[in-house]
Amino acid sequence: MKVKAAVFYRPQQPLAVEELDLEEPRAGEVLVRVAACGVCHSDLHFLDGLVPLPSPCVLGHEAAGVVERVGEGVTYVQPGDHVILSFAPACGRCSYCEVGRPNLCTYGGRAMAAGTMLDGTTRLSRDGQPVYHEAAVAGFATHAVVPEASVVKIREDMPLDRAALIGCGVMTGVGAAINTAKVQPGSDVAVIGCGGVGLNVIQGAALAGAARIIAVDLLDHKLELARQFGATDTVNASREEPVTAVRRLSAGGVDYAFEVIGRPETIRQAFDMARRGGMAIVVGLSPSGSHVSLPANIFLMEKTITGSAYGGARPRVDMPRLVELYMAGKLKLDELISRVYPLERINEAFEALRQGEVARSVISFL
């Protein structure tokens, strides 16, 4: 079938909106009509050449839609089901999947790196030549063929443009606070970076019962938005040294410091913000080849630094729960959407993200 998609060819060039060929789903795969796909900062890393990606490739990994057809052997969904797409397809049989950590799936990770489906091949092509799939999703397209493991069935009254945000930014941020850090009630938290994912770390910490949540960013409008999501204090790092400011506000350091930008200098700042016995959690995607240096003796203070992959997601457990929280009025999604664009204006959406103008933009196919 023919689909319209935004194609990445090389860094520092605009995406090309083109017509591509999409194969029917094979065994264990699902064809989804995409309703909406969020514009995530991780995609911007590919566009700016900070992280390598096979090309040509259809980007987009934060999506939701409706199942149109299923391949042989698919039993979890049927045509008409509403689904969120998970960008970390889990094989269900590797050691990580078997111990309940599907976000670290060995085979899913290989497929993501290769830009393919789980079997190492692609379903997209142009003039007979393969076109790769970002994260086995390729959500910046009217339709997507994905592994059955990538679909999470949700209730049909959940708005699909809101559901799409759960596919990456919300799951990653809320999950980092609740699943990875296991933020405790009454604790102090700092969050460096108040974009789409950072705002969800903030609301995840608020849902967990943190007493003080300190938001750190360079832009005042993002700090104002952070307060809407649960921040109790804000620090503009363009006007004051952030580590000093956070230590002052938290009486010497926070229990949990989240880095949601992906820069070595801010990762070090998060570690320095954590108190003795505290934890720094790295959520941001860093440029390839970057390194962080920490003083070895600091670990005698029993400080911990860890990463958070997809918020420790168990997609078919956690995502429906997030849907229920939204439908109950306990999870903010409407407030995340700054702008909605058609696919033809996708490069405008990325420029707005690059300039820090938005929390989240959504490419809508509705």
Side-chain angles (χ1 to χ4, degrees), residues 30-97:
V30 178
L31 172 67
V32 176
R33 174 172 52 81
V34 179
C37 188
V39 180
C40 179
H41 209 279
S42 297
D43 293 319
L44 193 58
H45 279 21
F46 302 133
L47 288 175
D48 290 345
L50 299 177
V51 177
L53 184 73
S55 62
C57 181
V58 174
L59 301 185
H61 60 278
E62 185 180 80
V66 179
V67 174
E68 287 204 343
R69 287 190 289 282
V70 300
E72 181 184 350
V74 171
T75 58
Y76 173 67
V77 290
Q78 60 186 359
D81 284 343
H82 289 210
V83 293
I84 296 171
L85 301 186
S86 164
F87 71 76
C91 70
R93 62 182 186 277
C94 72
S95 60
Y96 293 105
C97 289

Side-chain angles (χ1 to χ4, degrees), residues 176-177 180-191 201 205 208-214 232 243 246-259 269-282 301-306:
T180 305
K182 297 179 173 60
V183 169
Q184 295 299 299
S187 58
D188 289 347
V189 171
V191 180
V201 174
R212 183 185 297 275
I213 303 173
I214 306 167
T232 59
V243 175
V246 167
R247 285 176 172 171
R248 182 185 70 250
L249 290 166
S250 59
V254 295
D255 300 291
Y256 310 93
F258 294 86
E259 195 280 346
Q269 287 173 354
F271 188 77
D272 291 343
M273 289 173 184
R275 62 166 176 81
R276 292 187 178 209
M279 177 185 290
I281 305 94
V282 181
M301 296 182 181
E302 296 191 359
K303 292 174 68 168
T304 302
I305 184 167
T306 188

Side-chain angles (χ1 to χ4, degrees), residues 170-345:
V170 178
M171 184 70 257
T172 298
V174 173
I178 293 177
N179 293 338
T180 305
K182 297 179 173 60
V183 169
Q184 295 299 299
S187 58
D188 289 347
V189 171
V191 180
I192 304 175
C194 298
V197 177
L199 292 172
N200 282 291
V201 174
I202 290 169
Q203 76 166 329
L207 286 167
R212 183 185 297 275
I213 303 173
I214 306 167
V216 182
D217 205 283
L218 298 171
L219 300 173
D220 284 334
H221 70 273
K222 288 193 173 183
L223 293 172
E224 292 171 8
L225 194 56
R227 286 191 178 273
Q228 295 182 37
F229 280 76
T232 59
D233 303 88
T234 59
V235 173
N236 188 314
S238 70
R239 293 197 288 269
E240 55 183 326
E241 204 286 315
V243 175
T244 302
V246 167
R247 285 176 172 171
R248 182 185 70 250
L249 290 166
S250 59
V254 295
D255 300 291
Y256 310 93
F258 294 86
E259 195 280 346
V260 202
I261 299 174
R263 295 179 179 173
E265 59 269 29
T266 47
I267 293 173
R268 176 59 192 270
Q269 287 173 354
F271 188 77
D272 291 343
M273 289 173 184
R275 62 166 176 81
R276 292 187 178 209
M279 177 185 290
I281 305 94
V282 181
V283 184
L285 176 64
S286 298
S288 295
S290 56
H291 298 274
V292 178
S293 177
L294 299 170
N297 286 341
I298 203 75
F299 293 102
L300 297 178
M301 296 182 181
E302 296 191 359
K303 292 174 68 168
T304 302
I305 184 167
T306 188
S308 181
Y310 208 179
R314 302 158 300 166
R316 291 184 181 173
V317 175
D318 295 328
M319 290 182 181
R321 289 178 176 175
L322 292 172
V323 168
E324 293 302 323
L325 285 172
Y326 170 76
M327 297 300 286
K330 297 178 180 179
L331 184 74
K332 296 181 184 295
L333 297 182
D334 301 349
E335 297 84 350
L336 278 172
I337 300 177
S338 304
R339 298 176 189 174
V340 178
Y341 294 90
L343 183 64
E344 289 76 12
R345 295 175 59 195

Side-chain angles (χ1 to χ4, degrees), residues 76-147:
Y76 173 67
V77 290
Q78 60 186 359
D81 284 343
H82 289 210
V83 293
I84 296 171
L85 301 186
S86 164
F87 71 76
C91 70
R93 62 182 186 277
C94 72
S95 60
Y96 293 105
C97 289
E98 287 180 347
V99 299
R101 304 186 74 183
N103 60 314
L104 301 179
C105 173
T106 301
Y107 296 99
R110 289 176 185 171
M112 290 174 67
T116 65
M117 304 294 282
L118 289 173
D119 66 359
T121 64
T122 69
R123 301 293 168 271
L124 288 164
S125 62
R126 184 174 184 272
D127 298 330
Q129 298 301 310
V131 174
Y132 296 98
H133 309 242
E134 186 203 348
V137 173
F140 291 141
T142 54
H143 292 77
V145 168
V146 300

